[in-house]
Amino acid sequence: MTATANHVIHDIQADPFGERFSRHLAVHKQLLGGSFYFESASEALLDLVEAAYGGLPPHRLPITVPDFRIELQLVPHRDQPYIIEPPQVQMHSGAGVLCGVIDASNYVVISPAQHRALVVASEDMLDFPYHLRYELIEFAVFILATRGLGLVPLHGACVGRNGHGLLLLGASGAGKSTMALHSLLNGLDFLSEDAVFVHPETLLATGVANYVHVKPDALRFIEHEAARDWIGKAPVIRRRSGVEKFEADLRHSHGQIAASPLKLVGAVFVSSEQETDLDALLSFVPSDEIAARLHADQPYAAGQPGWLHFQQKMVQTGVHELRRGEHPQVSIEALMRLLDRL
């Protein structure tokens, strides 16, 4: 049952904060090594939770895990619905809470110490499920898991096999998503294309392998007809940058999602530079340059607890740079050879 305006009208004088609002529906998900409970009176909001996390393998970490609780509230339509897309999220913090605010009717409030979060969304925001899911609901999950489990949050991708993983780093547009997609199509386990969370003590990496985002022009490099059809029929989302991409559901894909966290055995900076010499696609990053390159590539993570330990371990495992071949398949073969050696 989707909550409507009638469900959120209450006696303002008797209950000014809406504390008596019914929250009779709940779902549980094992995500990023954590145990998450989502509570709401709105089936529509819980449907978005299911769209984000339904059917994913439950990842667990060798640590004590608290329960995380995220409450989702649906409020009435705003007077002026968005025409193109919602405004960008504005971040705020204070008094031990973190906030992501789109407007007065669409926001998330997170209390890491209490392992709780509140997501509030207006009914018209349901017309923008990508933004609502990614910028409010998934944002709450990522922050709670990072702070509550002591994970290092990285902007990157991760693929692997036999329990071992390679971290794919690099600037936006360098080709991390393309590398992750073609790794999937070549039989590697897919962990994440955009956000990777690493336990610094064990180097176990986890992520949410729900979707892969592919530019339309990347379809020409996909030779497998069924895979090309799977992506080409996927919904199209528009990034904040204005770039449009297919959002293909990995749970209905032609590959293998990582069933459990992957132990990182190395990292690769994906470069947009072209290289025609196959023997020169991969190169070592000198050990005395690794710390600086990681810091420059991950400015947010570099300020989080656990970063120094993670950084030291990555220096020990070794880091490479991968230049772009004439075809993604060439780069993937170099990546797979590296994974076999590590």
Side-chain angles (χ1 to χ4, degrees):
M1 176 183 66
T2 300
T4 65
N6 291 332
H7 292 91
V8 295
I9 292 175
H10 58 277
D11 189 335
I12 297 295
Q13 292 184 334
D15 184 21
F17 295 101
E19 295 171 277
R20 302 173 191 173
F21 184 72
S22 174
R23 304 163 183 87
H24 62 281
L25 301 174
V27 296
H28 172 257
K29 300 293 181 183
Q30 183 71 29
L31 305 166
L32 303 174
S35 181
F36 284 83
Y37 292 86
F38 298 86
E39 303 170 335
S40 182
S42 167
E43 285 189 355
L45 291 179
L46 290 180
D47 285 345
L48 286 177
V49 172
E50 194 64 27
Y53 306 120
L56 292 176
H59 282 197
R60 291 178 170 82
L61 296 169
I63 57 176
T64 301
V65 177
D67 287 340
F68 299 104
R69 296 190 177 275
I70 298 179
E71 183 177 317
L72 304 107
Q73 292 185 9
L74 190 67
V75 298
H77 283 82
R78 299 176 316 108
D79 292 336
Q80 296 181 334
Y82 307 126
I83 299 175
I84 299 176
E85 66 179 12
Q88 290 196 16
V89 176
Q90 301 296 313
M91 307 296 184
H92 304 279
S93 67
V97 298
L98 306 175
C99 304
V101 180
I102 295 177
D103 60 32
S105 298
N106 296 279
Y107 56 88
V108 55
V109 181
I110 306 165
S111 174
Q114 295 181 323
H115 305 139
R116 298 181 71 93
L118 169 67
V119 173
V120 175
S122 59
E123 289 180 318
D124 51 292
M125 190 68 170
L126 294 173
D127 294 331
F128 301 88
Y130 168 75
H131 294 87
L132 174 50
R133 189 193 77 231
Y134 187 73
E135 297 181 344
L136 296 181
I137 298 174
E138 294 193 40
F139 176 69
V141 170
F142 287 168
I143 293 295
L144 287 176
T146 298
R147 305 295 176 92
L149 302 177
L151 306 180
V152 176
L154 301 169
H155 174 55
C158 186
V159 297
R161 63 180 165 203
N162 299 325
H164 292 161
L166 278 177
L167 186 61
L168 305 181
L169 304 173
S172 295
K176 298 185 296 295
S177 293
T178 298
M179 291 293 100
L181 171 62
H182 283 270
S183 296
L184 174 81
L185 298 178
N186 278 271
L188 294 184
D189 293 340
F190 187 108
L191 184 83
S192 177
E193 64 139 10
D194 185 57
V196 181
F197 301 84
V198 181
H199 184 243
E201 302 295 329
T202 62
L203 280 190
L204 286 173
T206 183
V208 177
N210 47 11
Y211 299 98
V212 63
H213 298 92
V214 183
K215 292 181 180 179
D217 61 0
L219 291 179
R220 70 184 188 276
F221 293 116
I222 300 175
E223 298 176 358
H224 195 285
E225 184 176 352
R228 192 167 58 248
D229 187 60
W230 157 59
I231 295 173
K233 291 183 177 179
V236 175
I237 59 94
R238 185 176 182 271
R239 295 284 203 188
R240 288 295 188 179
S241 63
V243 175
E244 293 187 343
K245 293 187 174 183
F246 291 111
E247 185 176 61
D249 195 328
L250 288 161
R251 292 156 291 187
H252 307 288
S253 71
H254 299 265
Q256 178 69 39
I257 295 174
S260 60
L262 299 177
K263 170 83 172 187
L264 293 181
V265 293
V268 175
F269 282 103
V270 179
S271 171
S272 59
E273 294 182 12
Q274 293 279 346
E275 179 59 65
T276 57
D277 184 355
L278 299 184
D279 294 330
L281 287 177
L282 268 174
S283 60
F284 281 103
V285 175
S287 59
D288 59 352
E289 297 179 9
I290 292 176
R293 289 199 60 173
L294 287 173
H295 192 285
D297 190 69
Q298 302 290 328
Y300 174 72
Q304 301 303 308
W307 172 259
L308 288 180
H309 202 167
F310 163 77
Q311 178 181 272
Q312 291 166 358
K313 291 210 168 189
M314 294 313 299
V315 171
Q316 294 171 4
T317 61
V319 175
H320 289 74
E321 183 173 67
L322 176 66
R323 292 179 177 85
R324 185 176 297 179
E326 294 181 340
H327 190 285
Q329 185 65 32
V330 176
S331 300
I332 292 303
E333 290 172 358
L335 205 64
M336 294 174 72
R337 288 194 298 270
L338 174 62
L339 190 57
D340 288 340
R341 295 200 306 265
L342 297 176

